[in-house]
Amino acid sequence: MSHRILIVEDSAPLQTVIIEFLQSKGHVCQCVPDARAAMKLMGQDVYDLILTDVRLPGEADGFAVVEFANQHQPEAIKVVMSGYGRLDDIVRAIRLGAYDFVRKPLPSLAELGVIVERALEHKNLLRERKRAQEEIERMNVELSRANDRLAEEVERRTADLAKANRELRTLDEMKNNLLASVSHELRTPLVSVRGYTELFYSGRLCPIPEKYQKYLETCLRNIDRLLSLIDSLMQYAQTFNQRPPLRLELIDLRQIFAALIQKLSEAARSAEVSLELLEKGHPVLVHGDARLIEQSFQHILDNAIKFNRPGGRVWVEFEPVGRKLVKISVGDNGIGIPLEEQGRIFERFYQVDRGPTRQYGGTGIGLAIARDNLRLLGSELRVTSELGKGSVFYLTMPLAEDAPPTVPPGPEK
Ligand code: ADP
Protein backbone atom coordinates (compact mmCIF):
# COMPACT_ATOMS: atom_id res chain seq x y z
CA MET A 1 0.00 0.00 0.00
CA SER A 2 1.35 3.45 -0.94
CA HIS A 3 1.89 6.09 1.76
CA ARG A 4 2.93 9.73 1.74
CA ILE A 5 6.26 10.21 3.51
CA LEU A 6 8.03 13.49 4.41
CA ILE A 7 11.79 13.12 4.88
CA VAL A 8 13.72 15.85 6.73
CA GLU A 9 17.44 15.27 6.12
CA ASP A 10 20.15 17.75 5.34
CA SER A 11 22.68 15.30 3.84
CA ALA A 12 22.03 15.21 0.11
CA PRO A 13 23.54 11.69 -0.51
CA LEU A 14 21.50 10.22 2.32
CA GLN A 15 18.37 11.96 1.01
CA THR A 16 18.87 10.29 -2.36
CA VAL A 17 19.45 6.84 -0.87
CA ILE A 18 16.40 7.04 1.36
CA ILE A 19 14.09 8.48 -1.31
CA GLU A 20 15.09 5.88 -3.88
CA PHE A 21 14.67 3.08 -1.40
CA LEU A 22 11.25 4.20 -0.15
CA GLN A 23 9.97 4.98 -3.64
CA SER A 24 11.05 1.49 -4.69
CA LYS A 25 8.62 0.26 -1.98
CA GLY A 26 5.79 2.17 -3.66
CA HIS A 27 5.65 5.18 -1.32
CA VAL A 28 5.38 8.83 -2.37
CA CYS A 29 8.26 10.80 -0.83
CA GLN A 30 9.04 14.45 -0.36
CA CYS A 31 12.33 15.56 1.07
CA VAL A 32 13.47 18.83 2.68
CA PRO A 33 16.81 19.75 4.30
CA ASP A 34 15.62 21.65 7.40
CA ALA A 35 12.82 22.07 9.92
CA ARG A 36 11.50 25.35 8.52
CA ALA A 37 10.95 23.82 5.02
CA ALA A 38 9.38 20.76 6.66
CA MET A 39 6.96 22.91 8.62
CA LYS A 40 5.98 24.77 5.47
CA LEU A 41 5.13 21.51 3.67
CA MET A 42 3.26 20.21 6.69
CA GLY A 43 1.07 23.32 6.45
CA GLN A 44 0.20 22.46 2.85
CA ASP A 45 -0.05 18.69 2.65
CA VAL A 46 -1.04 15.63 4.68
CA TYR A 47 1.54 12.89 5.39
CA ASP A 48 1.33 9.39 6.74
CA LEU A 49 4.89 9.34 8.04
CA ILE A 50 7.43 12.01 8.94
CA LEU A 51 10.99 10.75 9.04
CA THR A 52 13.28 13.42 10.46
CA ASP A 53 16.89 13.73 11.46
CA VAL A 54 17.34 15.09 14.99
CA ARG A 55 20.28 17.33 14.13
CA LEU A 56 19.27 19.82 11.44
CA PRO A 57 20.79 23.04 10.19
CA GLY A 58 19.15 26.33 11.26
CA GLU A 59 17.40 27.32 14.51
CA ALA A 60 14.84 24.49 14.63
CA ASP A 61 15.90 20.85 15.04
CA GLY A 62 14.18 17.47 14.67
CA PHE A 63 12.43 17.85 18.04
CA ALA A 64 10.72 21.00 16.75
CA VAL A 65 9.65 19.01 13.67
CA VAL A 66 8.09 16.35 15.90
CA GLU A 67 6.31 18.95 18.03
CA PHE A 68 5.05 20.80 14.95
CA ALA A 69 3.84 17.54 13.44
CA ASN A 70 2.02 16.70 16.69
CA GLN A 71 -0.05 19.81 16.22
CA HIS A 72 -0.46 20.04 12.46
CA GLN A 73 -0.26 16.41 11.37
CA PRO A 74 -1.83 14.59 14.34
CA GLU A 75 -2.56 11.51 12.25
CA ALA A 76 1.01 11.20 10.89
CA ILE A 77 3.43 8.83 12.56
CA LYS A 78 6.85 10.25 13.49
CA VAL A 79 10.19 8.47 13.29
CA VAL A 80 13.50 10.18 14.16
CA MET A 81 17.02 9.47 12.87
CA SER A 82 19.80 9.95 15.36
CA GLY A 83 23.45 9.07 15.98
CA TYR A 84 23.78 5.78 17.87
CA GLY A 85 25.61 7.42 20.71
CA ARG A 86 22.80 9.96 21.35
CA LEU A 87 20.49 7.84 23.46
CA ASP A 88 19.23 10.92 25.33
CA ASP A 89 18.07 12.41 21.97
CA ILE A 90 16.12 9.27 21.17
CA VAL A 91 14.47 9.20 24.61
CA ARG A 92 13.52 12.86 24.30
CA ALA A 93 12.06 12.38 20.80
CA ILE A 94 9.99 9.40 21.94
CA ARG A 95 8.75 11.39 24.94
CA LEU A 96 7.67 14.12 22.54
CA GLY A 97 5.60 11.65 20.54
CA ALA A 98 7.95 9.91 18.08
CA TYR A 99 6.97 6.28 17.48
CA ASP A 100 10.45 4.85 16.73
CA PHE A 101 14.01 5.77 15.72
CA VAL A 102 16.54 4.88 13.00
CA ARG A 103 20.22 4.67 13.89
CA LYS A 104 22.68 6.87 12.08
CA PRO A 105 24.72 6.23 10.12
CA LEU A 106 22.21 3.88 8.51
CA PRO A 107 23.33 0.30 9.24
CA SER A 108 21.37 -1.06 6.25
CA LEU A 109 18.43 -0.10 4.06
CA ALA A 110 16.71 -3.32 5.11
CA GLU A 111 16.64 -2.09 8.73
CA LEU A 112 15.23 1.27 7.57
CA GLY A 113 12.61 -0.66 5.59
CA VAL A 114 11.58 -2.74 8.63
CA ILE A 115 11.23 0.35 10.85
CA VAL A 116 9.27 2.33 8.24
CA GLU A 117 6.90 -0.59 7.50
CA ARG A 118 6.37 -1.24 11.22
CA ALA A 119 5.60 2.44 11.77
CA LEU A 120 3.14 2.53 8.85
CA GLU A 121 1.52 -0.69 10.06
CA HIS A 122 1.11 0.92 13.48
CA LYS A 123 -0.48 3.94 11.85
CA ASN A 124 -2.91 1.70 9.94
CA LEU A 125 -3.83 -0.02 13.19
CA LEU A 126 -4.41 3.35 14.85
CA ARG A 127 -6.62 4.39 11.97
CA GLU A 128 -8.59 1.15 12.20
CA ARG A 129 -8.96 1.59 15.95
CA LYS A 130 -10.17 5.14 15.47
CA ARG A 131 -12.67 3.99 12.86
CA ALA A 132 -13.91 1.23 15.19
CA GLN A 133 -14.23 3.71 18.03
CA GLU A 134 -16.19 6.11 15.85
CA GLU A 135 -18.44 3.25 14.77
CA ILE A 136 -19.00 2.24 18.41
CA GLU A 137 -19.79 5.84 19.29
CA ARG A 138 -22.23 6.10 16.40
CA MET A 139 -23.92 2.87 17.47
CA ASN A 140 -24.05 4.09 21.06
CA VAL A 141 -25.78 7.26 19.97
CA GLU A 142 -28.26 5.23 17.93
CA LEU A 143 -28.82 2.85 20.81
CA SER A 144 -29.42 5.63 23.24
CA ARG A 145 -31.85 7.25 20.79
CA ALA A 146 -33.67 3.93 20.39
CA ASN A 147 -33.73 3.58 24.19
CA ASP A 148 -35.23 7.02 24.56
CA ARG A 149 -37.86 6.20 21.97
CA LEU A 150 -38.64 2.91 23.73
CA ALA A 151 -38.89 4.60 27.12
CA GLU A 152 -41.28 7.16 25.66
CA GLU A 153 -43.35 4.40 24.07
CA VAL A 154 -43.49 2.40 27.30
CA GLU A 155 -44.49 5.52 29.22
CA ARG A 156 -47.20 6.34 26.71
CA ARG A 157 -48.55 2.79 26.69
CA THR A 158 -48.46 2.56 30.50
CA ALA A 159 -50.44 5.78 30.71
CA ASP A 160 -52.95 4.46 28.12
CA LEU A 161 -53.29 1.21 30.05
CA ALA A 162 -53.75 3.00 33.36
CA LYS A 163 -56.43 5.16 31.77
CA ALA A 164 -58.18 2.14 30.22
CA ASN A 165 -57.97 0.40 33.60
CA ARG A 166 -59.54 3.33 35.40
CA GLU A 167 -62.33 3.45 32.84
CA LEU A 168 -62.89 -0.29 33.12
CA ARG A 169 -63.02 -0.11 36.91
CA THR A 170 -65.58 2.68 36.74
CA LEU A 171 -67.62 0.74 34.20
CA ASP A 172 -67.39 -2.39 36.34
CA GLU A 173 -68.60 -0.49 39.38
CA MET A 174 -71.43 1.06 37.37
CA LYS A 175 -72.40 -2.38 36.05
CA ASN A 176 -72.38 -3.90 39.53
CA ASN A 177 -74.38 -1.03 40.99
CA LEU A 178 -76.89 -1.37 38.18
CA LEU A 179 -77.02 -5.12 38.67
CA ALA A 180 -77.57 -4.73 42.41
CA SER A 181 -80.36 -2.18 42.05
CA VAL A 182 -82.10 -3.94 39.15
CA SER A 183 -81.95 -7.24 41.04
CA HIS A 184 -83.35 -5.58 44.11
CA GLU A 185 -86.16 -3.97 42.13
CA LEU A 186 -87.00 -7.36 40.58
CA ARG A 187 -86.89 -9.20 43.85
CA THR A 188 -89.35 -7.02 45.79
CA PRO A 189 -92.36 -7.46 43.46
CA LEU A 190 -91.49 -11.13 42.93
CA VAL A 191 -91.61 -11.80 46.68
CA SER A 192 -95.06 -10.31 46.82
CA VAL A 193 -96.17 -12.39 43.79
CA ARG A 194 -94.87 -15.46 45.60
CA GLY A 195 -96.74 -14.52 48.80
CA TYR A 196 -100.11 -14.22 47.02
CA THR A 197 -99.53 -17.35 44.94
CA GLU A 198 -98.77 -19.27 48.12
CA LEU A 199 -101.87 -17.82 49.76
CA PHE A 200 -104.00 -19.11 46.90
CA TYR A 201 -102.21 -22.44 46.94
CA SER A 202 -102.85 -22.84 50.67
CA GLY A 203 -106.61 -22.72 50.01
CA ARG A 204 -107.17 -20.15 52.72
CA LEU A 205 -108.76 -17.65 50.30
CA CYS A 206 -111.01 -20.12 48.49
CA PRO A 207 -110.95 -23.84 47.84
CA ILE A 208 -108.67 -24.63 44.85
CA PRO A 209 -109.56 -27.67 42.73
CA GLU A 210 -106.75 -30.23 42.64
CA LYS A 211 -106.20 -29.64 38.89
CA TYR A 212 -105.42 -25.95 39.52
CA GLN A 213 -103.23 -26.74 42.48
CA LYS A 214 -100.74 -28.30 40.06
CA TYR A 215 -100.64 -25.04 38.06
CA LEU A 216 -99.97 -23.11 41.23
CA GLU A 217 -97.20 -25.55 42.20
CA THR A 218 -95.53 -24.93 38.83
CA CYS A 219 -95.91 -21.18 39.38
CA LEU A 220 -94.30 -21.44 42.83
CA ARG A 221 -91.42 -23.59 41.53
CA ASN A 222 -90.67 -21.13 38.75
CA ILE A 223 -90.96 -18.13 41.06
CA ASP A 224 -88.43 -19.85 43.35
CA ARG A 225 -86.11 -20.42 40.40
CA LEU A 226 -86.36 -16.77 39.45
CA LEU A 227 -85.76 -15.71 43.06
CA SER A 228 -82.67 -17.87 43.31
CA LEU A 229 -81.34 -16.41 40.02
CA ILE A 230 -81.93 -12.90 41.32
CA ASP A 231 -80.21 -13.85 44.58
CA SER A 232 -77.19 -15.09 42.63
CA LEU A 233 -77.02 -11.82 40.71
CA MET A 234 -77.27 -9.83 43.93
CA GLN A 235 -74.57 -11.95 45.55
CA TYR A 236 -72.41 -11.49 42.48
CA ALA A 237 -72.79 -7.71 42.59
CA GLN A 238 -71.97 -7.81 46.30
CA THR A 239 -69.03 -10.17 45.89
CA PHE A 240 -67.31 -7.87 43.44
CA ASN A 241 -68.62 -4.56 44.78
CA GLN A 242 -69.56 -3.58 48.32
CA ARG A 243 -69.14 -6.75 50.30
CA PRO A 244 -70.42 -6.73 53.89
CA PRO A 245 -67.60 -7.24 56.43
CA LEU A 246 -66.64 -10.83 57.32
CA ARG A 247 -68.37 -12.21 60.41
CA LEU A 248 -66.14 -14.92 61.85
CA GLU A 249 -67.66 -17.11 64.52
CA LEU A 250 -67.50 -20.67 65.80
CA ILE A 251 -69.84 -22.66 63.57
CA ASP A 252 -70.86 -26.28 63.19
CA LEU A 253 -70.56 -27.25 59.52
CA ARG A 254 -72.71 -30.29 60.08
CA GLN A 255 -75.60 -28.08 61.18
CA ILE A 256 -75.14 -25.73 58.25
CA PHE A 257 -75.14 -28.63 55.78
CA ALA A 258 -78.12 -30.31 57.45
CA ALA A 259 -80.08 -27.05 57.05
CA LEU A 260 -78.93 -26.66 53.43
CA ILE A 261 -79.95 -30.22 52.60
CA GLN A 262 -83.32 -29.55 54.14
CA LYS A 263 -83.63 -26.35 52.08
CA LEU A 264 -82.77 -28.12 48.83
CA SER A 265 -84.72 -31.30 49.47
CA GLU A 266 -87.70 -30.15 47.37
CA ALA A 267 -85.45 -29.35 44.38
CA ALA A 268 -83.71 -32.75 44.80
CA ARG A 269 -87.04 -34.54 45.02
CA SER A 270 -88.36 -32.97 41.82
CA ALA A 271 -85.06 -33.81 40.05
CA GLU A 272 -85.40 -37.37 41.41
CA VAL A 273 -81.97 -37.11 42.97
CA SER A 274 -81.15 -38.34 46.48
CA LEU A 275 -79.38 -35.84 48.73
CA GLU A 276 -77.61 -37.03 51.88
CA LEU A 277 -75.16 -36.04 54.56
CA LEU A 278 -72.82 -38.96 55.34
CA GLU A 279 -71.76 -39.77 58.97
CA LYS A 280 -74.41 -37.81 60.76
CA GLY A 281 -72.69 -38.09 64.14
CA HIS A 282 -70.27 -35.44 65.41
CA PRO A 283 -70.35 -31.68 65.09
CA VAL A 284 -67.64 -30.26 62.81
CA LEU A 285 -66.53 -26.98 64.38
CA VAL A 286 -64.65 -24.32 62.43
CA HIS A 287 -64.22 -20.57 62.61
CA GLY A 288 -65.95 -19.03 59.62
CA ASP A 289 -68.65 -16.77 58.25
CA ALA A 290 -71.81 -18.91 58.25
CA ARG A 291 -73.50 -16.74 55.61
CA LEU A 292 -70.62 -17.05 53.13
CA ILE A 293 -70.23 -20.79 53.70
CA GLU A 294 -73.93 -21.40 53.26
CA GLN A 295 -74.07 -19.22 50.14
CA SER A 296 -71.08 -21.03 48.59
CA PHE A 297 -72.24 -24.56 49.26
CA GLN A 298 -75.77 -23.78 48.16
CA HIS A 299 -74.36 -23.04 44.69
CA ILE A 300 -72.28 -26.23 44.76
CA LEU A 301 -75.19 -28.39 45.92
CA ASP A 302 -77.59 -26.73 43.46
CA ASN A 303 -75.20 -27.69 40.66
CA ALA A 304 -74.77 -31.24 41.95
CA ILE A 305 -78.56 -31.68 41.79
CA LYS A 306 -79.03 -29.77 38.54
CA PHE A 307 -76.24 -31.46 36.53
CA ASN A 308 -77.53 -34.89 37.47
CA ARG A 309 -79.92 -37.52 36.15
CA PRO A 310 -83.09 -39.04 37.60
CA GLY A 311 -82.05 -41.69 40.12
CA GLY A 312 -78.73 -39.89 40.72
CA ARG A 313 -77.03 -39.24 44.07
CA VAL A 314 -75.58 -36.20 45.80
CA TRP A 315 -73.68 -36.52 49.06
CA VAL A 316 -71.76 -34.37 51.52
CA GLU A 317 -68.83 -35.83 53.41
CA PHE A 318 -66.43 -34.61 56.12
CA GLU A 319 -63.05 -36.30 56.46
CA PRO A 320 -60.27 -35.43 58.90
CA VAL A 321 -56.88 -34.44 57.44
CA GLY A 322 -54.41 -34.90 60.29
CA ARG A 323 -55.61 -33.45 63.57
CA LYS A 324 -56.07 -29.88 62.49
CA LEU A 325 -57.93 -29.89 59.18
CA VAL A 326 -61.18 -31.16 57.81
CA LYS A 327 -61.88 -31.94 54.16
CA ILE A 328 -65.40 -31.10 53.01
CA SER A 329 -66.57 -32.82 49.81
CA VAL A 330 -69.75 -32.49 47.81
CA GLY A 331 -69.99 -35.42 45.41
CA ASP A 332 -72.44 -36.39 42.72
CA ASN A 333 -72.76 -39.12 40.12
CA GLY A 334 -74.17 -36.74 37.51
CA ILE A 335 -73.03 -35.75 34.04
CA GLY A 336 -69.44 -34.85 35.03
CA ILE A 337 -67.18 -32.15 33.58
CA PRO A 338 -64.69 -32.67 30.71
CA LEU A 339 -61.08 -32.41 31.92
CA GLU A 340 -60.27 -29.38 29.73
CA GLU A 341 -63.20 -27.43 31.20
CA GLN A 342 -62.41 -28.11 34.85
CA GLY A 343 -60.11 -25.09 35.22
CA ARG A 344 -62.57 -22.72 33.56
CA ILE A 345 -65.83 -23.45 35.37
CA PHE A 346 -64.76 -21.16 38.23
CA GLU A 347 -64.55 -18.18 35.89
CA ARG A 348 -67.39 -15.69 36.00
CA PHE A 349 -70.23 -16.52 33.58
CA TYR A 350 -68.46 -19.64 32.27
CA GLN A 351 -70.73 -22.58 31.47
CA VAL A 352 -69.65 -25.85 29.89
CA ASP A 353 -72.79 -26.08 27.81
CA ARG A 354 -73.24 -22.60 26.36
CA GLY A 355 -75.09 -23.37 23.12
CA PRO A 356 -78.63 -22.23 22.27
CA THR A 357 -79.85 -25.77 22.97
CA ARG A 358 -78.57 -25.56 26.56
CA GLN A 359 -80.70 -27.80 28.73
CA TYR A 360 -79.73 -26.52 32.21
CA GLY A 361 -80.71 -23.17 33.72
CA GLY A 362 -78.26 -20.88 35.51
CA THR A 363 -76.15 -17.77 35.12
CA GLY A 364 -72.63 -19.19 35.27
CA ILE A 365 -71.63 -17.21 38.35
CA GLY A 366 -72.39 -19.66 41.17
CA LEU A 367 -68.93 -21.25 41.24
CA ALA A 368 -67.17 -17.88 40.83
CA ILE A 369 -69.03 -16.59 43.89
CA ALA A 370 -68.36 -19.82 45.83
CA ARG A 371 -64.63 -19.84 45.11
CA ASP A 372 -64.30 -16.15 45.88
CA ASN A 373 -66.22 -16.46 49.18
CA LEU A 374 -64.21 -19.49 50.28
CA ARG A 375 -60.92 -17.82 49.38
CA LEU A 376 -61.90 -14.98 51.68
CA LEU A 377 -62.10 -17.61 54.41
CA GLY A 378 -58.66 -18.96 53.45
CA SER A 379 -59.74 -22.13 51.59
CA GLU A 380 -59.36 -23.11 47.95
CA LEU A 381 -62.32 -24.80 46.24
CA ARG A 382 -61.22 -27.60 43.89
CA VAL A 383 -62.86 -30.17 41.67
CA THR A 384 -62.22 -33.65 40.38
CA SER A 385 -64.56 -35.00 37.79
CA GLU A 386 -65.03 -37.62 35.15
CA LEU A 387 -67.27 -37.06 32.17
CA GLY A 388 -70.44 -39.15 32.47
CA LYS A 389 -69.54 -40.43 35.95
CA GLY A 390 -69.83 -37.43 38.23
CA SER A 391 -67.91 -34.74 40.11
CA VAL A 392 -66.54 -34.00 43.56
CA PHE A 393 -66.07 -30.39 44.72
CA TYR A 394 -63.89 -30.21 47.81
CA LEU A 395 -61.80 -28.01 50.09
CA THR A 396 -60.05 -28.19 53.45
CA MET A 397 -60.60 -25.90 56.41
CA PRO A 398 -58.77 -25.65 59.73
CA LEU A 399 -60.78 -27.12 62.59
CA ALA A 400 -61.44 -24.70 65.44
CA GLU A 401 -58.55 -25.22 67.88
CA ASP A 402 -60.43 -24.38 71.03
CA ALA A 403 -63.27 -26.72 70.14
CA PRO A 404 -63.49 -30.33 71.39
CA PRO A 405 -62.44 -33.00 68.81
CA THR A 406 -65.16 -33.29 66.21
CA VAL A 407 -64.62 -35.69 63.32
CA PRO A 408 -62.70 -38.80 64.38
CA PRO A 409 -58.98 -37.72 64.38
CA GLY A 410 -56.78 -38.85 61.47
CA PRO A 411 -52.98 -39.40 61.49
CA GLU A 412 -50.79 -36.36 62.47
CA LYS A 413 -49.53 -34.47 59.35
P1 ADP B 1 -74.39 -22.21 36.55
O1 ADP B 1 -75.29 -21.11 36.95
O2 ADP B 1 -74.35 -22.45 35.07
O3 ADP B 1 -74.64 -23.46 37.34
P2 ADP B 1 -71.85 -22.19 37.93
O4 ADP B 1 -70.84 -21.11 38.00
O5 ADP B 1 -72.45 -22.63 39.19
O6 ADP B 1 -72.93 -21.67 36.91
O7 ADP B 1 -71.21 -23.42 37.20
C1 ADP B 1 -70.47 -23.20 36.01
C2 ADP B 1 -70.56 -24.41 35.08
O8 ADP B 1 -69.84 -25.48 35.64
C3 ADP B 1 -71.96 -24.95 34.90
O9 ADP B 1 -72.67 -24.24 33.89
C4 ADP B 1 -71.67 -26.40 34.50
O10 ADP B 1 -71.35 -26.43 33.11
C5 ADP B 1 -70.42 -26.74 35.29
N1 ADP B 1 -70.73 -27.46 36.56
C6 ADP B 1 -70.75 -26.94 37.81
N2 ADP B 1 -71.02 -27.91 38.73
C7 ADP B 1 -71.17 -29.07 38.05
C8 ADP B 1 -71.45 -30.42 38.42
N3 ADP B 1 -71.63 -30.80 39.69
N4 ADP B 1 -71.53 -31.34 37.44
C9 ADP B 1 -71.33 -30.99 36.13
N5 ADP B 1 -71.06 -29.73 35.71
C10 ADP B 1 -71.00 -28.78 36.65
Side-chain angles (χ1 to χ4, degrees), residues 299-300 303-304 306-307 332 335-337 345 350-353 358 361-368 391 393:
H299 287 298
I300 297 168
N303 284 341
K306 184 165 68 176
F307 298 105
D332 66 68
I335 63 170
I337 304 161
I345 54 171
Y350 193 83
Q351 296 177 309
V352 173
D353 176 10
R358 185 176 157 76
T363 51
I365 50 178
L367 286 180
S391 315
F393 286 81

Side-chain angles (χ1 to χ4, degrees), residues 95-268:
R95 277 206 184 123
L96 282 175
Y99 170 69
D100 207 346
F101 68 95
V102 180
R103 289 181 291 164
K104 267 181 103 177
L106 273 185
S108 70
L109 280 174
E111 188 172 321
L112 174 71
V114 168
I115 292 171
V116 165
E117 290 312 320
R118 194 165 59 201
L120 288 170
E121 180 65 17
H122 181 70
K123 182 190 152 48
N124 286 344
L125 286 177
L126 285 181
R127 192 194 293 142
E128 286 303 310
R129 193 173 71 181
K130 194 168 168 227
R131 241 187 247 145
Q133 266 170 351
E134 281 168 1
E135 181 65 6
I136 288 173
E137 267 162 34
R138 195 187 56 74
M139 281 161 74
N140 270 342
V141 169
E142 254 175 41
L143 204 68
S144 115
R145 267 195 217 129
N147 258 342
D148 289 349
R149 278 200 300 273
L150 202 69
E152 270 169 30
E153 184 67 14
V154 167
E155 210 172 293
R156 197 178 57 73
R157 295 236 176 141
T158 313
D160 285 356
L161 270 180
K163 186 165 164 251
N165 240 340
R166 274 196 305 277
E167 284 170 6
L168 268 182
R169 218 173 297 134
T170 316
L171 275 178
D172 210 41
E173 262 169 37
M174 278 166 61
K175 182 199 70 191
N176 285 339
N177 285 337
L178 183 77
L179 206 62
S181 50
V182 168
S183 306
H184 190 261
E185 293 305 307
L186 283 176
R187 198 177 201 291
T188 316
L190 206 58
V191 167
S192 112
V193 170
R194 191 188 196 288
Y196 286 119
T197 315
E198 202 170 16
L199 194 61
F200 273 113
Y201 180 66
S202 69
R204 274 182 277 145
L205 290 182
C206 55
I208 306 283
E210 205 177 318
K211 185 175 144 197
Y212 297 144
Q213 272 184 5
K214 289 237 171 310
Y215 296 161
L216 287 173
E217 268 171 27
T218 311
C219 275
L220 280 172
R221 214 174 30 251
N222 281 312
I223 291 172
D224 283 345
R225 255 184 77 193
L226 262 181
L227 277 174
S228 106
L229 268 179
I230 291 171
D231 284 347
S232 291
L233 288 174
M234 284 171 78
Q235 280 169 27
Y236 168 80
Q238 242 179 27
T239 309
F240 301 104
N241 222 7
Q242 303 124 355
R243 184 198 290 279
L246 268 189
R247 257 201 1 239
L248 291 182
E249 55 193 343
L250 189 64
I251 50 176
D252 180 3
L253 287 179
R254 198 171 290 275
Q255 263 182 27
I256 290 189
F257 275 91
L260 261 178
I261 284 175
Q262 177 64 34
K263 193 171 169 184
L264 297 173
S265 57
E266 183 47 43

Side-chain angles (χ1 to χ4, degrees), residues 53-55 61-68 88-89 92-93 96:
D53 195 357
V54 171
R55 306 274 150 209
D61 53 14
F63 302 121
V65 173
V66 171
E67 278 181 315
F68 190 89
D88 48 342
D89 279 357
R92 187 173 160 205
L96 282 175

